[in-house]
């Protein structure tokens, strides 16, 4: 109400000021115009009369003057003639009674021999006067023309009245328009927003009402949605905690991780290092777009950082990354509710080429994955790798310079040298490195020309994590054979000099909510969006990588349709494939190879209304992937070798209704935990074809019980547990180790 009154007040004030200014200007103009009219008329008449009166005033007789005056005087125009002493000689009868004995402007006209004009009140009436001296050099008197000026005042009054009416009409119209606009654009939408905000308390994912101007209410709606989601999450977490306590269970939740981390880390920030950043910014035309990379590591670590806070140091790889960070390369994430800092490290093209594409992905990646791809070891790549590790070490040391006994969590094979580099500078740091890919047997690893440097670098850590015990054993055996160190097989640790490194499995996982507020929609809407019709739907979600077994999968699908032709036109397999590391020739060739293989099977088997494989080659966000997981009858994860594979766990985590079948490669870390998947050897095409049949012919009851058990595993072994156990172990390192190190 106050706002409306203020708005109306302002409207009226504006209308009054505008109309007043306008009327002032136009009244002035009207006055000037009418005065000019008097003057023009007076001048014309005065010139004529002057000629007639001058001889008469000089020589007389006075009766002649009187005659002239009477002849030209009218009711609205008086004429008076004065002698040279400004004494009245003759005046028309209408004005004579109103004239005072002397008039100053008459004397002035005579003494200055110039025309005097203006307004004067004569006998209580406004009068325009025009006084002309009579006689050229020595004036003999003066002629005064007097006009009734009341029409000017009448005109001014009429104008003022008209403007007042205008003001009323304009003010009222503006007020009405304003009231309608306020009601439609503000009061009404605000009311709906308030109603929505009220409902958000119970249903946090309710979409905002479609209220008018998005530029006005959009930011408010976004803020409110975020707030509601946070509240709902907090409430959910509290309820979950209470429920777990009630049942005496101890599932790891975001809240529990927060508590554990703050207890173990004594509220010190956590420092995480990875090559891949949680979000990169890229130019799309003239717009900057945030992009979550297709990376298992990011999927796993992002929720941990949200829970723990701290600093995440990573390579700034997006072409708009500099524009979206501050001068130090940092930004707070997530943007709508910042919980941690991302510190971007800038690498030159050459550094990226040698360290990332070269040594990490053409050397270590095929070295650790047993898929019979030959590693390439170039000395210049190794030099870049070492240099970039040093660069990251500097940045991490700078970030943690003010923190006592900082806790550092290093990720993956990109940073094998980093633990040692940090340890050398900060003996008080607690350092863990988690190796997200497999560790092969000592013979396989032994071909790496820089094996000792890599092992010594890693052993700078206090804790080395792998996904499985098998990889831990491979690592310890590699150390045993390659360098001087004492392996303690009882505690799974390595002693070198004063320093002990523990080696333990921590199977990584996903957060329970793969996508917060998942998209609405149905299987039908997904199929119609894709323009396909299918009774059975299979899905695969991968980066295009030779370890993922994609060509083998395409062959298995072909074999399935050859063996079971009755499923043609009934089953469609959708492959979401994110191009990855395409600058490496092997990856580039693979992209082409898979494209050709899909094209071939589609060409051979397709009918008028059906194609066996839908190949969607693009980067897909989690939100975009969600409906595929949710509505597929089965998901194929048939990697030839994989440290863990989070796609398998993502698929299971989405299937809330406990349906769907997972076909999973025996050679993934995930297969150790998800024993209820249909396990396959991805090199065995017949076995995989058979697995597809088993998946779609499995009874609903069996599907349900298998999925329920797998969901229980993923629920319990979630990402919060992974981070919680890892950080707890790191924090619990025997104190004497730290003491010895400092001596
Ligand atoms: C593997 C690695 C991850 C990496 C992912 C994506 O899963 O273990 O560390 O995030 O591949 O690879 P990229 O090279 O695109 O980061």
């Amino acid at each position: 109400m106050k706002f409306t009154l203020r708005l109306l007040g302002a409207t009226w004030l504006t209308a009054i000021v505008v109309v007043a200014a306008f009327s002032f200007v136009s009244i002035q103009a009207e006055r000037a115009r009418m005065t000019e009219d008097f003057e023009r008329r007076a001048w014309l008449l005065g010139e004529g009369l002057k000629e007639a009166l001058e001889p008469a005033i000089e020589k007389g007789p006075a009766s002649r003057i009187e005659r002239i005056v009477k002849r030209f005087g009218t009711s609205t125009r008086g004429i008076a003639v004065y002698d040279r002493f400004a004494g009245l000689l003759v005046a028309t009868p209408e004005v004579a009674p109103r004239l005072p004995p002397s008039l100053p402007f008459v004397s002035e006209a005579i003494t200055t021999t110039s025309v005097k004009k203006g307004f004067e009140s004569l006998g209580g009436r406004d009068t325009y006067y025009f006084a002309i001296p009579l006689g050229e050099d020595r004036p003999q008197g003066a002629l005064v023309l007097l006009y009734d000026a009341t029409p000017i005042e009448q005109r001014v009054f009429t104008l003022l009245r008209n403007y007042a009416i205008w003001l009323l009409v304009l003010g009222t119209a503006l007020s009405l328009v304003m009231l309608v606009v306020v009601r439609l654009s503000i009061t009404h939408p605000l009311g709906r927003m308030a109603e929505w905000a009220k409902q958000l308390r119970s249903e946090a994912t309710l979409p905002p009402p479609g209220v008018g101007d998005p530029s006005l209410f959009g930011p408010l709606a976004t803020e409110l949605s975020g707030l509601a989601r946070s509240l709902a999450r907090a409430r959910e977490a509290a309820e979950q905690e209470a429920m777990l306590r009630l049942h005496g269970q101890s599932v790891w939740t975001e809240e529990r991780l927060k508590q554990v981390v703050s207890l173990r880390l004594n509220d010190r920030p956590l420092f995480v290092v990875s090559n891949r950043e949680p979000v990169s910014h890229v130019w799309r035309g003239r717009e900057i777009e945030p992009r979550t990379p297709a990376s298992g590591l990011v999927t796993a670590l992002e929720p941990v950082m949200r829970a723990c806070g701290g600093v995440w140091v990573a390579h700034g790889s997006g072409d708009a990354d500099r524009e979206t960070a501050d001068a130090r390369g940092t930004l707070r994430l997530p943007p709508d509710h910042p919980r941690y800092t991302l510190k971007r490290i800038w690498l030159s093209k050459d550094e990226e080429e040698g360290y990332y594409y070269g040594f990490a992905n053409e050397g270590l990646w095929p070295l650790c994955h047993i898929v019979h791809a030959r590693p390439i070891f170039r000395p210049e790549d190794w030099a870049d790798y070492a240099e970039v590790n040093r660069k990251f070490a500097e940045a991490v040391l700078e970030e943690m310079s003010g923190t006592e006994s900082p806790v550092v969590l290093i990720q993956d094979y990109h940073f094998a040298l980093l633990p040692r580099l940090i340890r050398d500078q900060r003996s008080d740091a607690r350092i863990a490195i988690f190796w997200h890919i497999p560790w092969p047997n000592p013979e396989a690893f032994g071909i790496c020309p820089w094996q000792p440097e890599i092992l010594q670098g890693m052993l700078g850590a206090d804790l080395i994590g792998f996904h499985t015990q098998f990889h831990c054993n491979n690592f310890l055996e590699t150390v045993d054979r390659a360098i001087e160190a004492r392996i303690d097989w009882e505690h799974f640790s390595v002693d070198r000099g004063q320093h002990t490194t523990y080696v333990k499995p921590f199977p990584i996982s996903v957060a329970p909510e793969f996508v917060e507020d998942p998209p609405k929609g149905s299987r039908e809407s997904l199929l119609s969006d894709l323009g396909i019709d299918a009774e059975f739907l299979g899905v695969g979600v991968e980066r295009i990588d030779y370890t993922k077994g994609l060509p083998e999968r395409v062959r298995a699908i072909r074999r399935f349709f050859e063996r079971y032709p009755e499923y043609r036109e009934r089953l469609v397999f959708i492959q979401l494939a994110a191009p990855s590391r395409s600058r490496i020739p092997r990856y580039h060739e693979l992209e082409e190879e898979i494209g050709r293989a899909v094209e071939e099977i589609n060409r051979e088997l397709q009918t008028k209304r059906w194609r066996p494989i839908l190949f969607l080659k693009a980067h897909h966000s989690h939100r975009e992937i969600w409906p595929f997981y949710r509505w597929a009858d089965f998901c194929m994860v048939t990697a030839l070798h994989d440290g863990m594979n989070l796609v398998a766990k993502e698929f299971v985590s989405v299937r809330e209704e406990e349906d769907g079948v997972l076909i999973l490669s025996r050679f993934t870390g995930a297969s150790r935990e998800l024993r209820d998947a249909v396990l396959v050897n991805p090199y065995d095409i017949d076995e995989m074809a058979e697995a597809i049949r088993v998946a779609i012919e499995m009874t609903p009851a069996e599907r349900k019980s298998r999925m329920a058990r797998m969901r229980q595993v993923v629920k319990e072994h979630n990402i919060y547990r992974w981070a919680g156990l890892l950080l707890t172990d790191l924090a619990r390192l025997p104190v004497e180790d730290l003491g010895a190190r400092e001596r």
Side-chain angles (χ1 to χ4, degrees):
M1 195 60 194
K2 242 186 182 172
F3 169 73
T4 316
L5 282 179
R6 234 181 286 150
L7 204 66
L8 286 181
T11 308
W12 275 97
L13 194 69
T14 312
I16 289 170
V17 170
V18 170
V19 172
F22 187 73
S23 52
F24 176 77
V25 171
S26 57
I27 285 171
Q28 287 303 98
E30 187 63 10
R31 260 189 213 281
R33 189 190 64 74
M34 290 181 83
T35 309
E36 253 173 48
D37 190 46
F38 280 135
E39 188 179 332
R40 188 179 42 80
R41 280 172 20 216
W43 184 81
L44 281 174
L45 181 65
E47 282 302 299
L49 285 177
K50 187 179 173 204
E51 260 176 48
L53 285 171
E54 266 172 357
I57 202 160
E58 268 176 27
K59 297 179 197 129
S63 58
R64 194 159 157 227
I65 299 172
E66 207 173 320
R67 259 200 329 272
I68 296 171
V69 167
K70 276 195 184 137
R71 210 165 87 220
F72 289 95
T74 65
S75 60
T76 55
R77 183 180 66 203
I79 302 172
V81 177
Y82 289 83
D83 63 18
R84 65 186 146 121
F85 303 109
L88 182 65
L89 287 177
V90 182
T92 46
E94 290 78 15
V95 290
R98 290 193 278 132
L99 288 175
S102 70
L103 283 167
F105 59 81
V106 175
S107 317
E108 258 179 67
I110 294 167
T111 50
T112 60
T113 60
S114 61
V115 171
K116 295 290 158 203
K117 55 196 174 184
F119 290 90
E120 188 76 48
S121 174
L122 294 179
R125 195 184 292 177
D126 272 346
T127 308
Y128 177 77
Y129 64 84
F130 193 86
I132 311 166
L134 294 173
E136 285 305 314
D137 303 326
R138 286 185 53 241
Q140 298 301 312
L143 162 67
V144 178
L145 299 168
L146 297 160
Y147 291 87
D148 182 5
T150 42
I152 294 187
E153 289 320 308
Q154 278 164 1
R155 178 76 187 128
V156 167
F157 176 76
T158 314
L159 281 178
L160 274 177
R161 197 195 51 207
N162 288 351
Y163 284 124
I165 294 171
W166 259 112
L167 176 65
L168 273 176
V169 172
L170 187 70
T172 313
L174 279 179
S175 303
L176 285 176
V177 170
M178 202 66 83
L179 283 176
V180 172
V181 170
V182 166
R183 205 177 153 64
L184 288 183
S185 312
I186 301 179
T187 323
H188 187 60
L190 266 183
R192 292 186 62 194
M193 293 285 285
E195 188 53 35
W196 170 63
K198 209 156 116 196
Q199 288 171 5
L200 278 181
R201 281 191 223 163
S202 48
E203 204 183 333
T205 57
L206 204 69
V211 284
D213 185 356
S215 65
L216 204 60
F217 294 103
L220 181 65
T222 313
E223 283 303 315
L224 274 176
S225 302
L227 201 66
R229 272 202 303 275
S230 310
L231 271 176
R233 272 236 307 270
R235 195 162 48 200
E236 212 173 283
E239 279 167 10
Q240 208 178 2
E241 285 295 320
M243 189 67 83
L244 292 172
R245 231 170 282 140
L246 199 69
H247 294 283
Q249 285 181 10
S250 58
V251 169
W252 280 83
T253 60
E254 184 181 341
E255 202 45 45
R256 181 167 167 204
L257 176 63
K258 266 187 211 162
Q259 299 303 330
V260 166
V261 167
S262 103
L263 197 75
R264 300 275 176 231
L265 269 57
N266 263 335
D267 288 326
R268 279 167 295 167
L270 176 66
F271 297 92
V272 165
V273 189
S274 72
N275 170 68
R276 196 53 73 193
E277 53 183 341
V279 62
S280 61
H281 288 94
V282 288
W283 283 106
R284 282 279 153 269
R286 305 172 111 219
E287 302 274 301
I288 292 181
E289 200 180 273
R291 174 180 276 203
T292 308
S295 154
L297 180 147
V298 168
T299 308
L301 273 180
E302 223 274 335
V304 173
M305 285 307 275
R306 280 179 191 241
C308 306
V311 183
W312 185 335
V313 183
H315 170 210
S317 55
D319 59 9
D321 271 2
R322 284 182 196 262
E323 286 83 339
T324 43
D326 64 15
R328 292 187 57 246
T330 63
L331 65 154
R332 296 279 297 153
L333 289 176
D336 52 341
H337 188 14
R339 312 240 191 116
Y340 64 93
T341 301
L342 168 64
K343 160 91 178 165
R344 285 174 169 157
I345 305 293
W346 313 118
L347 299 182
S348 69
K349 280 280 152 240
D350 285 347
E351 283 173 330
E352 190 183 356
E353 198 64 47
Y355 138 83
Y356 172 76
Y357 289 105
F359 192 72
N361 285 319
E362 286 192 286
L364 288 178
W365 180 266
L367 178 72
C368 292
H369 289 92
I370 309 297
V371 292
H372 313 287
R374 194 172 177 162
I376 302 172
F377 296 117
R378 302 181 194 94
E380 52 285 13
D381 288 350
W382 167 251
D384 281 330
Y385 183 85
E387 187 46 45
V388 170
N389 270 246
R390 274 194 289 276
K391 201 173 197 175
F392 269 77
E394 262 171 42
V396 176
L397 288 166
E398 190 189 319
E399 285 303 310
M400 61 194 206
S401 59
T403 311
E404 236 177 80
S405 306
V407 176
V408 193
L409 214 54
I410 299 167
Q411 308 299 317
D412 238 349
Y413 58 100
H414 308 91
F415 298 113
L417 307 182
L418 199 52
R420 168 69 51 212
L421 292 169
I422 296 177
R423 163 76 54 237
D424 286 348
Q425 302 299 317
R426 290 291 301 262
S427 58
D428 63 328
R430 299 204 162 201
I431 307 170
I433 179 165
F434 189 81
W435 199 260
H436 289 256
I437 59 176
W439 191 279
N441 61 52
E443 288 77 23
F445 199 85
I447 66 166
C448 175
W450 298 282
Q451 170 172 249
E453 287 86 342
I454 287 176
L455 295 175
Q456 278 152 13
M458 290 174 75
L459 290 171
D462 300 291
L463 184 61
I464 300 179
F466 292 97
H467 292 300
T468 66
Q469 184 62 53
F470 186 62
H471 298 153
C472 295
N473 295 351
N474 279 348
F475 176 78
L476 288 171
E477 279 170 23
T478 309
V479 172
D480 203 13
R481 292 210 201 164
I483 58 173
E484 203 58 50
R486 195 176 72 81
I487 311 289
D488 179 343
W489 285 103
E490 201 187 328
H491 295 105
F492 290 98
S493 62
V494 182
D495 290 322
R496 290 192 80 234
Q498 302 283 14
H499 182 54
T500 303
T501 303
Y502 292 84
V503 180
K504 278 192 73 173
F506 298 94
I508 206 164
S509 192
V510 290
E513 59 293 331
F514 173 59
V515 168
E516 271 178 31
D517 175 25
K520 310 270 177 288
S522 60
R523 180 187 168 108
E524 288 65 40
S525 62
L526 174 67
L527 293 182
S528 95
D529 287 351
L530 296 169
I532 56 173
D533 186 15
E535 193 182 331
F536 300 103
L537 214 55
V539 71
V541 180
E542 263 91 17
R543 283 184 306 109
I544 302 181
D545 192 299
Y546 51 83
T547 59
K548 303 293 178 188
L550 287 168
E552 289 79 0
R553 186 180 304 168
V554 174
R555 263 178 255 144
I557 293 169
R558 173 200 285 265
R559 181 64 55 89
F560 166 77
F561 284 119
E562 282 166 359
R563 272 200 188 172
Y564 305 105
E566 64 273 26
Y567 284 110
R568 292 186 189 187
E569 298 200 327
R570 292 171 64 197
L571 186 149
V572 173
F573 189 83
I574 304 170
Q575 179 64 52
L576 307 189
S580 167
R581 308 173 189 169
S582 315
R583 297 235 304 267
I584 299 175
R586 182 73 190 86
Y587 282 79
H588 190 69
E589 285 158 22
L590 181 74
E591 268 181 43
E592 292 187 348
E593 183 188 338
I594 294 166
R596 270 199 309 275
V598 172
E599 221 177 274
E600 225 171 84
I601 167 175
N602 278 345
R603 202 178 41 243
E604 280 174 30
L605 299 184
Q606 74 185 4
T607 63
K608 265 191 194 143
R609 52 182 205 89
W610 172 79
R611 267 186 313 165
I613 298 183
L614 189 62
F615 188 63
L616 304 177
K617 185 170 128 185
H619 175 89
H620 292 88
S621 68
H622 283 181
R623 216 180 154 69
E624 288 164 335
I625 297 172
W626 190 91
F628 292 93
Y629 283 149
R630 172 63 187 82
W631 303 114
D633 294 287
F634 65 96
C635 175
M636 285 186 94
V637 177
T638 53
L640 303 180
H641 196 193
D642 215 332
M644 173 53 71
N645 195 298
L646 289 184
V647 168
K649 294 190 174 180
E650 286 167 5
F651 171 67
V652 169
S653 80
V654 163
R655 302 309 293 248
E656 221 168 26
E657 79 311 343
E658 298 180 340
D659 201 355
V661 179
L662 174 66
I663 298 175
L664 181 61
S665 157
R666 282 195 179 89
F667 309 131
T668 60
S671 69
R672 309 292 154 114
E673 293 174 274
L674 303 176
R675 308 301 300 172
D676 281 287
V678 177
L679 295 176
V680 292
N681 170 358
Y683 291 92
D684 187 337
I685 306 300
D686 282 333
E687 192 189 34
M688 280 204 285
E690 195 52 27
I692 297 176
R693 188 195 59 77
V694 168
I696 54 179
E697 290 182 1
M698 193 181 282
T699 63
E702 187 177 348
R703 288 202 306 259
K704 191 173 169 67
S705 66
R706 282 181 184 241
M707 184 53 86
R709 282 193 296 267
M710 289 196 289
R711 282 180 63 76
Q712 190 60 27
V713 171
V714 174
K715 188 178 150 203
E716 282 171 12
H717 294 191
N718 60 33
I719 187 62
Y720 302 123
R721 175 179 183 265
W722 175 83
L725 295 186
L726 210 156
L727 289 170
T728 304
D729 267 28
L730 187 59
R732 269 198 202 139
L733 274 182
V735 178
E736 58 270 23
D737 283 356
L738 292 173
R741 207 185 287 157
E742 274 150 20
R743 272 197 296 275

